[in-house]
Amino acid sequence: MLCTRLTNARFLTMDPDHPVARDLGIWQGRIAGLDEAVTSLPARETVDLQGATVLPGFIDAHVHLAWTGFKQNTPSIAGRTRVDDVLAIVAEAVARTRAPGDWVSIAGYDQRALGRHLTAAELDRVSDGRKLYLLHDSGHGCVVNTAVLDLLPAGIPHESGFLAEQAMGAARALRLPHSQEDLAAAIGRAARTCLSEGVTACAEAGIGGALFGHSPVELGAYQLAVDKDLLPLRVQLMVSADRLRPVAAHETDGIPRALDLGLRTGFGDDRLSVGALKVYTDGGMMARTAALTSPYEGLDHAGQLQDDPDVLTGLIVDGHLAGWQLAVHAIGDRAADIALDAIERAQRLRPRPEARHRIEHAGLIRPDQLPRFARLGVSAVVQPSFLRYFGDDYASVMGAERAPWMYRGRAFLDHGIPLVGSSDRPVADGSPLRAVQFMVERASATGQLIGPDEAITVDQALHAYTAAGARACHWEDRLGSLTPGKHADLVVLGDDPRRADPSRIGDIEVVETYVDGRPSRPRD
């Protein structure tokens, strides 16, 4: 007997052997079969989906859950265009603290809205003895007041209180780590938001590190979230590469650096597991720190790398030798050169064709770099919503020649490069459907077409958020398609993205999300 039979729906399975179905059976959290294989079987429960469209649950291959959850409960200055309005919000947040010396966090900082960066002196006017920390929306910089600057180690560079990349990490290090209880609560808040948008599995893009980590025991917070039933979806954890340390492993192991006990990609279970090793090579376009081979339009610099190229190469190679899948953050084309060079060197030293190394973002990829991606078998894990929401700005700082190379779609597929969809939530909107719409239209929120030749089909975009995401996370044997034997993770939509007008795809209602055959909103 089936536990549940879902009927009267249009199941877009993402399985080429059975692409469309009308009935789906569920037994003990797995897909038992489709159509004739289950139609006549008895079921404890039969659910009439009334003609809805059903897809495999969306997989967001690059998110920041804890950061998202904290941001949801942090005062924000997003959208403010006047310095005085920003300072007023900061002053209100200061007034809600208990004592001088407290830290005050503010979200939503973006210098582009103000036309320039805030300064420490301006923040000092409203700090009242507190330590102020305004995190840039990209996550690659912050603005702090003098009370924080005075605590930084000597030699940390800043621009009147704005700290970028590793300098920002030094400011983060001054703060006490978040408790596991607070982290688990934040993770749960973010996970529920993901679930409401049809996401049933995601890859957390870097725990425990100086740039985006929240605690040296951050993995334990995810375990606590599972223990407290706060994690309603599947999560794979990328570990920041700066957590590696030299180890005295046996010489035949060939492992120069590792996590304690040799923990690496693959440890865990179907609900919570360790994924790729996250290596940061550059910054971001929003903060103008993505590393380019030529300067930004209108600026006298080309971004920056996170460290010396030899140091970055060493991290990538050592991670590969230690058995990790690699997720290399590389937004600018110069950073991508370093990432590809290092991966090629690593594979030459110890071939691991099954590793499925990834380039996270692949924000600006030159035509000559595409064949190297393909030859090395590297996936491109892109964030389409970056161009949907920030595309006008990004196009202006890249210039006419480079703008069509940003966050590519068609070129990756034409070269046989796996194209994987993700959001980088909370940097950008996390809705997979709105990202799918951009991948098809290539239009920013204002309607500007950005690299229209990179547009792909709806089917290809849906594949990027289902089957391709599963493969990038080594989940293809259990997720990514509505295939018998796989987990019954699926999303019920109010319309068929393949039949809807492309301009409406992002507005399609997510009616219900199922994980292990159970709906997120249990029926009476």
Side-chain angles (χ1 to χ4, degrees):
M1 175 180 285
L2 298 173
C3 297
T4 307
R5 183 171 60 247
L6 303 179
T7 188
N8 188 20
R10 181 175 176 81
F11 293 92
L12 306 181
T13 69
M14 309 308 292
D15 180 349
D17 293 333
H18 196 147
V20 181
R22 63 181 183 278
D23 285 359
L24 181 145
I26 299 171
W27 185 72
Q28 294 189 350
R30 299 270 182 168
I31 298 171
L34 302 168
D35 292 341
E36 291 78 8
V38 298
T39 299
S40 61
L41 294 179
R44 295 192 186 100
E45 177 186 38
T46 298
V47 180
D48 185 343
L49 293 178
Q50 302 178 357
T53 295
V54 182
L55 283 159
F58 295 125
I59 296 172
D60 191 333
H62 185 118
V63 301
H64 299 277
L65 290 178
W67 178 13
T68 298
F70 282 129
K71 187 175 181 179
Q72 290 172 343
N73 279 8
T74 300
S76 176
I77 56 174
R80 300 302 192 277
T81 58
R82 298 177 63 249
V83 170
D84 287 346
D85 293 340
V86 168
L87 295 179
I89 292 173
V90 175
E92 290 175 6
V94 166
R96 290 194 291 271
T97 59
R98 295 183 177 180
D102 284 351
W103 283 89
V104 177
S105 294
I106 303 292
Y109 176 68
D110 185 345
Q111 84 285 356
R112 298 172 304 172
L114 299 173
R116 63 172 177 83
H117 280 297
L118 285 172
T119 67
E122 288 169 330
L123 293 177
D124 289 344
R125 288 162 30 197
V126 295
S127 63
D128 194 24
R130 275 63 169 177
K131 303 180 188 75
L132 303 185
Y133 183 92
L134 281 65
L135 179 62
H136 197 277
D137 263 346
S138 68
H140 288 274
C142 65
V143 177
V144 299
N145 64 339
T146 302
V148 176
L149 293 177
D150 288 345
L151 298 175
L152 290 172
I156 297 296
H158 68 90
E159 297 178 26
S160 301
F162 176 72
L163 300 104
E165 307 303 342
Q166 298 300 326
M168 178 196 71
R172 287 174 61 91
L174 296 172
R175 309 185 65 173
L176 291 173
H178 292 282
S179 72
Q180 287 196 346
E181 288 282 350
D182 287 347
L183 274 165
I187 291 161
R189 282 193 298 273
R192 290 190 294 274
T193 300
C194 292
L195 202 66
S196 72
E197 295 177 338
V199 175
T200 58
C202 65
E204 163 65 49
I207 63 168
L211 283 180
F212 289 92
H214 297 88
S215 167
V217 291
E218 194 165 357
L219 192 152
Y222 281 85
Q223 291 180 289
L224 180 62
V226 172
D227 293 343
K228 299 182 72 170
D229 200 25
L230 297 175
L231 199 62
L233 42 71
R234 306 180 198 283
V235 177
Q236 189 177 88
L237 302 172
M238 300 184 205
V239 177
S240 291
D242 55 8
R243 303 299 299 177
L244 297 184
R245 64 181 183 83
V247 294
H250 193 280
E251 61 180 15
T252 61
D253 292 335
I255 299 176
R257 281 186 279 184
L259 292 188
D260 288 343
L261 302 179
L263 188 73
R264 60 172 174 82
T265 302
F267 184 81
D269 57 26
D270 283 343
R271 187 54 68 114
L272 181 65
S273 61
V274 175
L277 185 72
K278 179 71 177 293
V279 183
Y280 295 92
T281 63
D282 69 345
M285 287 188 190
M286 193 187 305
R288 311 310 194 226
T289 54
L292 313 178
T293 50
S294 300
Y296 289 87
E297 288 286 314
L299 300 177
D300 60 359
H301 69 87
Q304 65 187 77
L305 296 171
Q306 293 287 354
D307 211 324
D308 182 85
D310 290 340
V311 172
L312 297 173
T313 297
L315 263 181
I316 292 169
V317 170
D318 285 356
H320 173 91
L321 295 177
W324 287 89
Q325 178 190 24
L326 299 172
V328 184
H329 168 115
I331 292 184
D333 59 330
R334 183 186 177 206
D337 280 333
I338 289 172
L340 294 170
D341 287 346
I343 290 172
E344 185 168 23
R345 178 180 172 188
Q347 290 284 20
R348 193 165 54 244
L349 289 171
R350 182 178 297 169
R352 287 177 52 218
E354 80 291 348
R356 298 184 194 171
H357 295 323
R358 310 158 37 146
I359 300 292
E360 307 299 300
H361 308 295
L364 185 74
I365 301 300
R366 302 186 310 271
D368 65 284
Q369 292 174 313
L370 293 167
R372 295 195 69 199
F373 265 80
R375 188 173 70 252
L376 292 169
V378 174
S379 298
V381 183
V382 300
Q383 296 76 41
S385 287
F386 279 17
L387 292 190
R388 177 179 170 89
Y389 295 102
F390 315 137
D392 295 345
D393 172 65
Y394 286 10
S396 68
V397 296
M398 288 300 108
E401 180 184 10
R402 293 182 293 184
W405 305 344
M406 294 191 297
Y407 296 94
R408 292 175 179 270
R410 170 65 55 194
F412 286 134
L413 295 178
D414 285 350
H415 282 78
I417 300 163
L419 176 66
V420 183
S422 68
S423 68
D424 203 16
R425 185 195 304 261
V427 177
D429 172 61
S431 164
L433 286 171
R434 286 191 281 274
V436 165
Q437 178 177 327
F438 174 81
M439 295 174 89
V440 174
E441 292 187 318
R442 296 291 299 191
S444 72
T446 65
Q448 179 182 351
L449 293 180
I450 301 173
D453 290 343
E454 293 293 332
I456 61 176
T457 69
V458 175
D459 279 331
Q460 290 167 332
L462 293 174
H463 185 272
Y465 275 91
T466 53
R471 184 183 181 278
C473 296
H474 291 270
W475 280 333
E476 72 275 11
D477 62 337
R478 69 200 84 164
L479 299 175
S481 66
L482 302 181
T483 302
K486 293 190 177 183
H487 289 294
D489 293 3
L490 45 90
V491 56
V492 181
L493 303 179
D495 201 355
D496 184 342
R498 302 193 306 181
R499 296 180 175 182
D501 185 285
S503 65
R504 291 189 54 254
I505 292 174
D507 297 323
I508 292 174
E509 178 188 4
V510 174
V511 177
E512 184 57 276
T513 307
Y514 285 73
V515 177
D516 278 334
R518 293 188 294 272
S520 60
R521 295 183 287 272
R523 294 175 292 277
D524 296 332

